[in-house]
């Protein structure tokens, strides 16, 4: 039968008993055994015992579209199905082979879910960079939806679609040209870039382009949900505590923040994994953005929501580890691996969350600093686009590093202004909004 990494076949096997009189009175000596294997019988085999219906599909192959024989050679030449049955009891069998559309759809979703997350992270980086560039150019800090609109009107979406369709073609062309001069390892690494150049024809190009568009729509939906959550939370906070009590209690926040920081670092180093710490940081940032919006500091609130959108792409990578940790707690087993309690794995998120709670990234930056920020975000987009589709868990560390870079910019704001020649520090629009709201109240 033909092989296809995107399709799951449902094979219904009906055994026919022997028509002789003796066979009608006997029972089979063993149940029917079905084995699925690849054509060369050296990679993968699946077995079923005494089953009348089985699902036949390729598991081990990492392709994202229909196989290209010129790239894979004779490694994949179909599926073999072997059936062992009692020949004295059964005289034959009927095999009904059909496509299992539901399982095929589930296989398609599972095949491209990591690609969608990686491309969504690339778009989140582009959105945050667009917001930062507008801020440093002297404009008001735009919202996430406004930044997405600017990217679409500026041609970023069209460029992403063209790049998504062109990269697989370039990969296939280079693989054909260099297959005799490159080693097998180098050729495999080249083919594994982006979504994996194992596809033939237009299918892989169209799939990549559709995923690029879907990823931007996914990020836009996240921005809408986060904005709605912050708006509802801000209204609830304003109704519950009022503006006056919120402002009066803000003076003791730095002391509480220092105590919470120390306790948080001790817990991450000893008991809780850094994935749980990231979840706490994310929820604290969501509450901070709602409180800032309730106070009326619009630019600072948009900046905090932008960081939330940027961090949302890291949430799925923490879920598996959190589930394992919770399950271990149910049996009173605490994970003591050093990698799970490494503070550096959440230091960037934590530092930026502390600094962004009170002020924004400075709008007045030297040209070399803004250029360095653009280079860092561009490298992150390239990494997510080319490498992290196949290795998505790297994106958590990339987001942590970018968060640490933004935190360093905020920490270096005062020294840069002190030693800048011929420039005077100007009042941040976020601070002026906050001061105006205080005076009005």
């Amino acid at each position: 039968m033909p092989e296809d990494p995107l399709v799951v076949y449902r094979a219904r096997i009906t055994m026919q008993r022997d028509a002789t009189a003796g066979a009608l009175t006997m029972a089979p000596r063993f149940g029917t055994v079905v084995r699925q294997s690849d054509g060369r019988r050296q990679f993968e085999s699946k077995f079923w015992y005494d089953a009348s219906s089985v699902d036949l599909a390729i598991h081990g192959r990492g392709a994202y579209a229909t196989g290209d024989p010129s790239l894979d050679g004779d490694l994949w030449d179909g599926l073999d199905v072997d059936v062992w049955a009692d020949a004295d009891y059964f005289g034959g069998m009927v095999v009904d082979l059909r496509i299992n559309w539901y399982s095929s759809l589930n296989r398609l979703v599972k095949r491209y879910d990591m690609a969608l997350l990686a491309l969504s992270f690339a778009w989140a980086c582009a959105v945050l960079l667009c917001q930062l560039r507008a801020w440093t150019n002297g404009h008001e800090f735009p919202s996430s939806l406004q930044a997405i609109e600017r990217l679409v009107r500026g041609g970023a979406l069209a460029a992403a679609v063209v790049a998504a369709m062109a990269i697989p073609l370039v990969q296939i062309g280079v693989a054909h040209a260099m297959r005799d001069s490159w080693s097998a390892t180098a050729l495999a690494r080249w083919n594994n870039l982006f979504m994996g150049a194992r596809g033939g024809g237009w299918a892989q190009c169209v799939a990549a382009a559709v995923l690029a568009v879907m990823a931007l729509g996914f990020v836009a939906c996240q921005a809408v949900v986060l904005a709605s959550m912050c708006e509802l939370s801000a209204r609830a906070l304003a109704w519950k505590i009022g503006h006056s009590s919120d402002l009066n209690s803000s003076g003791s926040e730095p002391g509480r923040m220092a105590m919470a920081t120390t306790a948080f670092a001790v817990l991450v180093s000893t008991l809780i994994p850094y994935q749980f710490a990231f979840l706490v940081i994310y929820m604290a940032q969501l509450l901070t953005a709602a409180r800032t919006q309730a106070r009326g500091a619009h630019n600072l609130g948009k900046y905090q929501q932008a960081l939330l959108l940027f961090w949302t792409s890291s949430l799925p990578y923490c879920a598996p580890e959190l589930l394992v940790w919770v399950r271990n707690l149910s049996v009173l087993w605490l994970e003591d691996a050093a990698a799970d309690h490494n503070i550096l794995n959440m230091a960037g998120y934590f530092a930026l969350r502390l600094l962004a709670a009170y002020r924004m990234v400075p709008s007045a930056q030297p040209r070399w600093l803004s250029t360095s920020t653009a280079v860092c975000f561009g490298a992150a987009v390239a990494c997510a686009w080319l490498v992290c589709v196949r290795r998505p868990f790297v994106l958590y560390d990339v987001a942590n590093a970018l968060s640490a870079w933004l935190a360093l910019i905020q920490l270096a704001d005062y020294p840069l202004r002190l030693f800048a020649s011929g420039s005077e520090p100007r009042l941040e629009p976020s601070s002026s909004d906050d001061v105006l709201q205080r005076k009005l109240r």
Side-chain angles (χ1 to χ4, degrees), residues 95-434:
V95 180
D96 183 17
L97 186 64
R98 300 182 181 181
I99 296 178
N100 189 342
W101 294 106
Y102 178 78
S103 297
S104 298
L105 179 61
N106 180 66
R107 189 178 181 86
L108 182 67
V109 172
K110 295 302 294 180
R111 184 170 294 274
Y112 288 112
D113 56 355
M114 291 294 105
L116 183 62
L117 290 177
L119 296 181
S120 299
F121 176 79
W123 280 117
C125 291
V127 170
L128 182 57
L129 180 60
C130 179
Q131 292 172 298
L132 293 176
R133 289 179 65 89
W135 174 245
T136 55
N137 289 334
H139 303 289
E140 184 180 357
F141 196 90
S143 64
S144 299
L145 292 177
Q146 291 173 344
I148 292 175
E149 182 180 359
R150 293 183 181 182
L151 288 175
V152 173
R153 291 185 176 182
L157 179 59
V161 171
V162 172
M165 298 183 68
I167 289 177
L169 297 178
V170 173
Q171 284 182 277
I172 294 175
V174 173
H176 277 289
M178 305 301 293
R179 57 182 176 179
D180 295 331
S181 58
W182 284 0
S183 64
T185 302
L187 191 61
R189 290 177 179 177
W190 172 259
N191 289 333
N192 285 334
L193 292 177
F194 195 40
M195 296 187 184
R198 304 278 198 297
W202 55 269
Q204 186 173 358
C205 299
V206 172
V210 171
L211 283 173
V213 177
M214 291 179 59
L216 182 59
F218 187 50
V219 173
C221 292
Q222 295 176 18
V224 172
V225 172
L226 289 175
S228 301
M229 292 176 61
C230 291
E231 178 67 24
L232 292 177
S233 301
R235 293 183 179 181
L237 288 173
W239 176 79
K240 182 179 180 180
I241 62 179
H243 293 293
S244 58
S245 60
D246 180 50
L247 290 176
N248 293 332
S249 62
S250 61
S252 59
E253 282 192 6
R256 293 200 305 265
M257 189 72 71
M259 296 177 59
T261 301
T262 304
F264 201 55
V266 172
L267 288 176
V268 173
S269 302
T270 55
L271 297 178
I272 65 176
Y274 70 88
Q275 294 89 352
F276 182 78
F278 171 75
L279 181 62
V280 174
I281 292 172
Y282 187 88
M283 298 303 297
Q285 179 70 10
L286 181 63
L287 180 60
T288 300
R291 291 171 61 89
T292 303
Q293 188 168 349
R295 292 200 307 265
H298 301 293
N299 285 324
L300 182 58
K302 292 178 183 177
Y303 175 61
Q304 293 170 352
Q305 292 183 28
L307 295 181
L308 278 174
L309 180 63
F310 176 60
W311 291 345
T312 301
S313 300
S314 300
L315 287 176
Y317 307 123
C318 298
E321 294 291 340
L322 287 178
L323 292 177
V324 173
W325 181 63
V326 172
R327 184 175 181 181
N328 292 341
L329 285 180
S330 63
V331 295
L332 302 179
W333 180 41
L334 297 179
E335 183 62 45
D336 57 352
D340 292 332
H341 300 286
N342 191 351
I343 300 180
L344 295 179
N345 290 332
M346 43 77 66
Y349 298 107
F350 191 57
L352 185 58
R353 180 263 178 279
L354 291 178
L355 296 173
Y358 301 103
R359 58 179 308 171
M360 303 175 58
V361 170
S363 58
Q365 298 181 12
R367 183 177 298 273
W368 64 268
L369 185 58
S370 59
T371 303
S372 300
T373 301
V375 171
C376 291
F377 275 88
V381 171
C383 178
W385 190 271
L386 295 178
V387 179
C388 293
V389 173
R390 311 280 296 207
R391 297 173 179 85
F393 290 93
V394 179
L395 293 179
Y396 178 89
D397 297 326
V398 174
N400 186 31
L402 287 180
S403 300
W405 174 257
L406 294 178
L408 287 175
I409 292 177
Q410 290 195 228
L411 284 175
D413 179 28
Y414 181 74
L416 287 176
R417 292 189 179 191
L418 183 63
F419 293 102
S421 59
S423 61
E424 297 181 359
R426 58 178 180 177
L427 187 63
E428 301 291 347
S430 60
S431 302
S432 62
D433 289 344
D434 203 4

Side-chain angles (χ1 to χ4, degrees), residues 19-96:
T20 61
L24 295 177
T25 60
M26 295 189 303
R29 290 172 294 180
F30 58 89
T32 303
V33 178
V34 180
R35 182 183 74 169
Q36 169 204 313
S37 60
D38 61 90
R40 297 172 65 90
R41 287 185 175 90
Q42 67 182 21
F43 292 107
E44 180 184 71
S45 295
K46 299 178 184 178
F47 293 88
W48 293 267
Y49 176 75
D50 201 15
S52 60
S53 180
V54 298
D55 286 335
L56 304 177
I58 296 176
H59 174 265
R61 189 179 180 187
Y64 281 81
T66 305
D68 187 354
S70 62
L71 293 180
D72 294 327
D74 58 349
L75 293 180
W76 303 97
D77 52 358
L79 290 177
D80 287 350
V81 179
D82 301 317
V83 181
W84 288 271
D86 188 356
D88 296 332
Y89 184 79
F90 297 109
M93 62 181 175
V94 177
V95 180
D96 183 17

